[in-house]
Amino acid sequence: MSWAEAREAAVAAGAALTPVAVEVPLAEAYGCRLAAPLRALVALPGVDVAAMDGYAVAGEGPWRVAGHVLAGGEPYQRPLPPGACVEIATGAPVPRGADRVVPYEHTSRGENTHDQDEPAHDRRDQGEDPRGRPFLGAVVGEREPSRRPHIRRRGEDVERGAVVLGAGAEVTPVVLALAAGLGHDTLPVRPRPNVAVLVTGDEVVHEGLPRHGRVRDAIGPFLPGLVEWAGGRVSGRLRLPDGREALARALTGWAVRGEGRWAPKEADVLVVCGASSKGPADHLRAVLAELGAEVLVDGVAVRPGHPQLLARLPGAGPGAGPFVVGLPGNPFAALGAAMTLLVPLLRGPSRQLSALAGPVRAHARDTRLVPVRRTGRGAVPIGHDGPASLWGAALADALAVVPPGWDGEQAELLELPRKV
Ligand SMILES: Nc1nc2c(c(=O)[nH]1)N[C@H]1C(S)=C(S)[C@@H](COP(=O)(O)OP(=O)(O)OC[C@H]3O[C@@H](n4cnc5c(N)ncnc54)[C@H](O)[C@@H]3O)O[C@H]1N2
Ligand code: MOO
């Protein structure tokens, strides 16, 4: 299967990863996708409010001060008659009868009415109380006439009931704040799909220095960040020895060599690292066939990462069970395969093009995934990109997708996760 077809198959499979919507408190919704459109529970602003600190005035000036309306304080209840004004703070409700707000700096009282350093007796000369507020009845004129009303009208930013975001939108920090501003305490979201990680290989060690032909696991550590960034969460991890039986038992939820009970049925996606190729310990395909899995992608024409696969296990009851993503054992091949199958499965489609600035040789038959760094001149290949080496990818911003026979300048970039 071509690389593009494999990615499409993963995106299409991802549509089946639609867990039941749940209503969660705002903070817990972060990073999830909205299960329903986000509507405004209130208008923004909720009433006509001042857009400037100053005086809400009625009719022609000068005006007599009839009250003070500060944000969060009591609104001015009575209608304001022509020739009257109330001192008003930005965001405070504008009284009925007021035509506009005159900012402090445009009034005859000038900017210094709130100079806290002035002695109280000087304030009284200016018609102010000791806190700098003008006395009721003090007269306010306008120095610089302006036609701008400086009033934000009810519903001017968002009308009550308006749909501000569609279902499926990602709940980012800004979306959380928007929802709070519109009156929401909870949000209906699709929970993040649960991803379980199985790292296979007798030669793989998980801490310390690898010795005597062993290797440190260099796939398991990138999966939680990558999965989180793609919209899922790693809900379980298991280390597996080589062996057909251990893998079969793990995929069907049995205890493995004292590792305790494992619950892949609670996982939406099982990621198997290694055992994907043709060696004596590479049992993944045989085990999937034994378990009656439906294989959706069986190898991809891509370098590195060709032995990758995507399958779906039969469900315990009616309906299909979890997806299985098989990542090759070579770590950079595993990263490329995760960017091809796992990320599109969890996150859906995304497309980004860039010029490539630097020599890249296309392969005759296979798509190449090339670590690149974005610069003003375009994306520059980094090198250090052998299938077992993560060095180039660690220096990269993205993987450039170079299709077979490619001789163009533009290439698709697969953005690599940075920070969630
Ligand atoms: N006869 C063939 N041999 C191989 C083929 C092939 O098509 N025909 N494909 C090669 C390619 S390409 C890759 S990639 C690997 C894929 O191998 P497996 O997925 O079966 O993985 P292993 O054989 O277990 O390991 C391969 C390699 O990666 C190291 N490894 C495994 N797991 C980890 C880990 N978690 N962290 C770091 N390194 C890991 C392992 O020690 C091996 O060196 O197959 C080729 N062979
Ligand atoms: O394609 Mo393998 O996946 O080169 O390392």
Side-chain angles (χ1 to χ4, degrees):
M1 189 182 276
S2 74
W3 182 85
E5 289 167 333
R7 197 245 309 252
E8 281 313 307
V11 169
L17 277 181
T18 46
V20 182
V22 287
E23 194 78 26
V24 297
L26 280 191
E28 284 174 34
Y30 175 46
C32 299
R33 294 198 177 264
L34 290 178
L38 180 66
R39 284 178 191 280
L41 299 180
V42 289
L44 278 188
V47 294
D48 293 354
V49 295
M52 292 285 207
D53 298 313
Y55 297 89
V57 301
E60 296 296 315
W63 305 275
R64 283 210 174 270
V65 176
H68 308 282
V69 194
L70 302 176
E74 278 295 297
Y76 188 81
Q77 303 289 1
R78 283 160 290 143
L80 207 57
C85 68
V86 294
E87 192 190 18
I88 197 161
T90 302
V94 173
R96 271 177 299 144
D99 311 307
R100 58 196 178 100
V101 171
V102 181
Y104 284 121
E105 51 276 38
H106 295 177
T107 66
S108 53
R109 300 180 61 80
E111 282 171 275
N112 60 353
T113 49
H114 289 268
D115 183 349
Q116 298 297 319
D117 297 334
E118 259 179 75
H121 62 86
D122 291 346
R123 294 180 180 285
R124 273 194 296 279
D125 296 345
Q126 294 174 15
E128 292 173 353
D129 71 13
R131 286 172 308 156
R133 306 257 77 93
F135 287 126
L136 294 184
V139 175
V140 175
E142 190 172 24
R143 259 194 306 169
E144 294 172 36
S146 145
R147 254 168 283 131
R148 295 187 61 188
H150 297 303
I151 294 176
R152 291 169 56 223
R153 296 290 173 193
R154 174 193 159 79
E156 177 181 301
D157 295 337
V158 184
E159 284 185 22
R160 182 160 171 255
V163 172
V164 293
L165 290 172
E170 190 178 338
V171 182
T172 62
V174 178
V175 168
L176 280 182
L178 173 71
L182 295 173
H184 293 270
D185 294 315
T186 60
L187 284 177
V189 293
R190 302 216 174 280
R192 291 165 167 264
N194 286 326
V195 178
V197 174
L198 291 78
V199 178
T200 72
D202 286 341
E203 79 285 20
V204 179
V205 296
H206 296 270
E207 55 194 20
L209 300 179
R211 296 188 197 275
H212 311 301
R214 296 187 161 231
V215 291
R216 266 292 285 277
D217 174 21
I219 302 174
F222 73 60
L223 283 169
L226 184 126
V227 164
E228 184 94 355
W229 171 81
R233 66 182 198 100
V234 169
S235 58
R237 292 170 221 216
L238 192 62
R239 300 165 188 178
L240 282 185
D242 286 324
R244 191 164 167 154
E245 200 198 336
L247 186 56
R249 286 163 72 89
L251 290 178
T252 49
W254 293 95
V256 185
R257 274 210 202 154
E259 292 269 3
R261 192 160 172 87
W262 158 248
K265 290 191 187 68
E266 285 162 23
D268 304 297
V269 180
L270 301 163
V271 178
V272 179
C273 310
S276 72
S277 182
K278 298 189 164 54
D282 300 335
H283 303 298
L284 180 57
R285 280 174 172 75
V287 168
L288 288 173
E290 199 177 288
L291 297 178
E294 180 193 1
V295 178
L296 304 167
V297 175
D298 189 2
V300 178
V302 65
R303 289 185 178 224
H306 73 86
Q308 61 188 279
L309 68 81
L310 174 64
R312 194 159 196 194
L313 289 170
F323 288 101
V324 177
V325 177
L327 303 181
N330 281 328
F332 180 47
L335 177 67
M339 298 298 291
T340 303
L341 295 179
L342 183 58
V343 171
L345 179 72
L346 296 172
R347 179 175 247 211
S350 62
R351 225 166 255 281
Q352 217 186 99
L353 292 175
S354 166
L356 286 194
V360 176
R361 272 210 328 250
H363 186 268
R365 286 179 312 280
D366 295 340
T367 294
R368 287 188 61 208
L369 298 180
V370 180
V372 292
R373 206 175 179 104
R374 288 197 194 86
T375 70
R377 296 180 292 127
V380 178
I382 288 183
H384 302 295
D385 57 359
S389 170
L390 287 175
W391 189 3
L395 294 168
D397 304 314
L399 301 182
V401 180
V402 179
W406 176 85
D407 60 356
E409 286 203 331
Q410 296 270 313
E412 182 175 350
L413 295 190
L414 307 176
E415 188 196 349
L416 286 168
R418 306 209 73 80
K419 223 164 45 178
V420 178

